Amino acid sequence: MIIVTFNIRGLGGGNKSRYLRHIISNEGAEFVCLQETKVKSISESKCYSLWGDNKVGWLHYEGENGGGGMLSMWHQEAFIYETHLMGKGYIAVYGSLVKDNLRCVVVNVYVACNLRDKKTLWMELSNIKSSSQEVFWCLCGDFNAIRSRDERKGSTNRVDYTSEIRGFNSFIDDNLLLDTPIVGKKYTWFNSNGSAKSIIDRVLVTEEWMGKWLMCK
């Protein structure tokens, strides 16, 4: 399954829309997860324009006070929507892959820097997953959390990330999730001058998902 996940930092500009449409087309995307849309509403025509096709299903979470907005989209010839759960920091879409006749859950994730919000999100996602019988799970997006100290470089503040690291790793381990390999650049976020960088965007999958797509990356 080909999934595009992208912290777009505002969906209003035409350049970003064209860039996203180019990625979707070039990669043959079947599902798209966007974070930080920074818009209150999304129209059908906007989703069709972003994908370059009108056979698109979508769900939008507008966020709070202009922040935390997310958009999940899927091509209806590749993914059949069944139901969803949505809340602060996530859109969980349940459905089936057409070509594999396989039920799965794709969760679009975005959480701000506040550790309290991160812990709340981890708990809620854990509860959602534990209450489901589905085994093919993919959680992707901007988790805004690191797993080890070397995943954040150049930060000028003296924040102790011990609690974040311990909590995030526990969330991953407790839910039997695997961190898919990153190819290309090691870090997923850079500040404007490149002096600070971190790995905060990632894709977490279950063992069953990784077993189905062995070259998952």
Side-chain angles (χ1 to χ4, degrees):
M1 186 179 187
I2 300 174
I3 299 175
V4 169
T5 176
F6 186 18
N7 186 327
I8 202 161
R9 296 185 185 175
L11 196 52
N15 287 338
K16 289 184 179 179
S17 296
R18 286 189 291 272
Y19 178 59
L20 179 60
R21 189 161 56 245
H22 172 75
I23 292 175
I24 291 171
S25 175
N26 274 20
E27 299 297 333
E30 297 165 301
F31 206 107
V32 173
C33 296
L34 302 181
Q35 302 89 41
E36 285 201 273
T37 56
K38 297 185 179 180
V39 292
K40 287 189 174 181
S41 61
I42 297 283
S43 66
E44 279 189 348
S45 59
K46 180 65 173 178
C47 292
Y48 297 164
S49 173
L50 289 172
W51 203 291
D53 194 328
N54 63 359
K55 297 177 181 177
V56 179
W58 55 278
L59 290 164
H60 180 237
Y61 176 76
E62 69 176 66
E64 298 178 355
N65 301 317
M70 293 175 290
L71 175 64
S72 293
M73 300 187 294
W74 55 91
H75 199 275
Q76 292 169 331
E77 291 183 347
F79 181 86
I80 299 174
Y81 165 87
E82 294 179 7
T83 188
H84 73 275
L85 294 171
M86 184 186 301
K88 184 178 180 180
Y90 69 92
I91 303 174
V93 184
Y94 297 69
S96 301
L97 298 179
V98 173
K99 63 184 178 183
D100 296 296
N101 191 27
L102 182 150
R103 291 168 57 87
C104 65
V105 186
V106 180
V107 187
N108 187 359
V109 175
Y110 175 76
V111 62
C113 295
N114 185 290
L115 181 57
R116 181 177 59 186
D117 287 348
K118 295 174 192 178
K119 289 182 176 180
T120 299
L121 177 64
W122 299 335
M123 183 178 298
E124 190 157 355
L125 291 177
S126 296
N127 290 338
I128 289 171
K129 185 174 179 296
S130 65
S131 64
S132 171
Q133 295 183 346
E134 305 298 341
V135 297
F136 291 93
W137 284 75
C138 174
L139 297 85
C140 60
D142 186 347
F143 289 84
N144 234 319
I146 57 173
R147 301 193 65 185
S148 61
R149 296 186 187 281
D150 64 350
E151 290 190 349
R152 184 173 279 130
K153 298 288 188 180
S155 178
T156 56
N157 57 40
R158 297 184 178 276
V159 177
D160 183 359
Y161 295 108
T162 302
S163 182
E164 175 185 303
I165 292 170
R166 184 184 298 118
F168 191 38
N169 280 320
S170 292
F171 163 73
I172 292 172
D173 294 341
D174 291 347
N175 287 285
L176 304 178
L177 298 172
L178 303 173
D179 203 350
T180 58
I182 295 177
V183 296
K185 294 181 178 179
K186 177 179 178 180
Y187 297 92
T188 67
W189 176 87
F190 302 81
N191 68 353
S192 57
N193 63 13
S195 62
K197 50 194 175 182
S198 58
I199 303 174
I200 53 176
D201 308 271
R202 59 182 81 232
V203 178
L204 305 174
V205 300
T206 54
E207 184 177 353
E208 291 83 359
W209 184 290
M210 188 69 81
K212 175 65 178 178
W213 294 284
L214 297 176
M215 300 303 292
C216 188
K217 61 182 184 293

